[in-house]
Amino acid sequence: DAKTTQPPSMDCAEGRAANLPCNHSTISGNEYVYWYRQIHSQGPQYIIHGLKNNETNEMASLIITEDRKSSTLILPHATLRDTAVYYCIVKLPHTGNQFYFGTGTSLTVIP
Amino acid sequence: GAVVSQHPSWVICKSGTSVKIECRSLDFQATTMFWYRQFPKQSLMLMATSNEGSKATYEQGVEKDKFLINHASLTLSTLTVTSAHPEDSSFYICSARDPLAGVSYEQYFGPGTRLTVT
C-alpha cells in the first residue's frame, strides 16, 4: 500500500473551511484514498473515501487531483468539535483490508 | 454507519496478571476484525488481524504468545494481554469491516480500551 505524507498540524478558525492536504505520490491505479479522524481518546471515525472522482458527504468533501498523487479533505464550516487528528490512508480495497496509519494532521479549530 | 463496541472502556491491572478485551460488531457480522495499539501522542499501530474460525495473523514484532486473539464468532473478537507489564499500558482499539459495505471496504472502529498496568 502507498504511503502518505501529511502536515503534522494545522489551525483553522471556527466557521471557516478547513483544507487538509495529503500527498500520496506512489499511489497505484486501484488504491482508494480514505480519510479518518480521531478525537482525543476515542476510536477513529470514518469520514470519506474516494478512488478518482471528487466525493462529498454530510461530513466533508474529498478532492483528488487528476494524477491522483494528492488529495485534500475539506471541512466546509469547521466547528470546535472538528478538533482532532486526521488520517489519510491509501490502500487497495481488498488486500487483507488492513489499514496502516501514518502520523496524521492534528487540526485545531480556534474560536 | 456500522457500530463496533469494546469492553471494558478502561481497565487497571497489576503487573503479571492477564487482561481480556472484547470487541463486538453490533449490527453486522464481521469475518475479519483488527486490533491496534496506540501509545500517547503516537499513531495507531496495527497489531494483528483476527479471522473468524482461524488463527490470527500478527504483524512483525508483535508477540503472539503475549497478545492472544480469539475470534470465536462473527460478532466477537477478544484480545488477551497475558502477564501484563507496565510497558503494555496503552490504548487498544479494534476495528471491523462490514462485508456488505461495498467494494471500498471502509472499516469501523471501536471506542478503544485504556489499559493501565501498575
Side-chain angles (χ1 to χ4, degrees):
Chain A
D1 295 328
K3 292 185 178 180
T4 62
T5 303
Q6 299 176 252
S9 64
M10 292 181 64
D11 291 339
C12 176
E14 186 178 18
R16 303 296 294 270
N19 298 284
L20 292 90
C22 179
N23 286 321
H24 31 80
S25 58
T26 60
I27 192 171
S28 67
N30 297 326
E31 289 182 310
Y32 280 72
V33 179
Y34 299 82
W35 282 84
Y36 283 77
R37 72 180 182 184
Q38 185 179 27
I39 296 171
H40 182 62
S41 294
Q42 297 183 25
Q45 177 190 22
Y46 166 78
I47 301 174
I48 199 168
H49 71 276
L51 180 61
K52 294 180 181 179
N53 300 320
N54 298 336
E55 302 286 345
T56 296
N57 62 20
E58 65 278 4
M59 291 184 66
S61 294
L62 173 61
I63 308 298
I64 302 174
T65 58
E66 189 171 348
D67 63 6
R68 302 209 325 121
K69 293 182 182 299
S70 66
S71 60
T72 301
L73 178 74
I74 301 174
L75 307 178
H77 305 286
T79 70
L80 299 179
R81 290 175 294 179
D82 292 322
T83 293
V85 178
Y86 288 76
Y87 295 100
C88 167
I89 303 167
V90 174
K91 75 174 301 297
L92 290 169
H94 55 76
T95 308
N97 300 328
Q98 298 99 328
F99 280 113
Y100 293 95
F101 285 78
T103 54
T105 296
S106 177
L107 175 68
T108 302
V109 180
I110 302 170
Chain B
V3 178
V4 175
S5 71
Q6 285 184 238
H7 178 79
S9 56
W10 60 270
V11 57
I12 301 173
C13 71
K14 292 186 176 181
S15 185
T17 62
S18 295
V19 176
K20 179 184 288 187
I21 302 170
E22 294 183 348
C23 175
R24 293 182 185 273
S25 56
L26 298 184
D27 52 0
F28 65 97
Q29 294 184 326
T31 55
T32 304
M33 293 184 175
F34 305 90
W35 287 96
Y36 296 81
R37 179 168 56 181
Q38 185 176 34
F39 293 108
K41 298 189 183 300
Q42 294 186 22
S43 186
L44 286 77
M45 183 191 77
L46 179 65
M47 299 176 65
T49 301
S50 170
N51 299 297
E52 188 267 337
S54 63
K55 291 183 178 180
T57 302
Y58 291 82
E59 294 296 300
Q60 189 173 7
V62 178
E63 300 174 59
K64 62 180 182 180
D65 295 330
K66 180 170 183 61
F67 299 100
L68 301 179
I69 292 173
N70 185 291
H71 193 155
S73 77
L74 289 173
T75 59
L76 173 65
S77 175
T78 61
L79 169 67
T80 301
V81 183
T82 62
S83 187
H85 292 284
E87 56 265 32
D88 298 322
S89 298
S90 187
F91 193 49
Y92 291 87
I93 305 168
C94 71
S95 72
R97 185 183 73 80
D98 183 352
L100 301 181
V103 70
S104 52
Y105 294 83
E106 64 265 28
Q107 292 184 18
Y108 298 96
F109 288 79
T113 297
R114 177 75 58 191
L115 170 64
T116 302
V117 184
T118 61

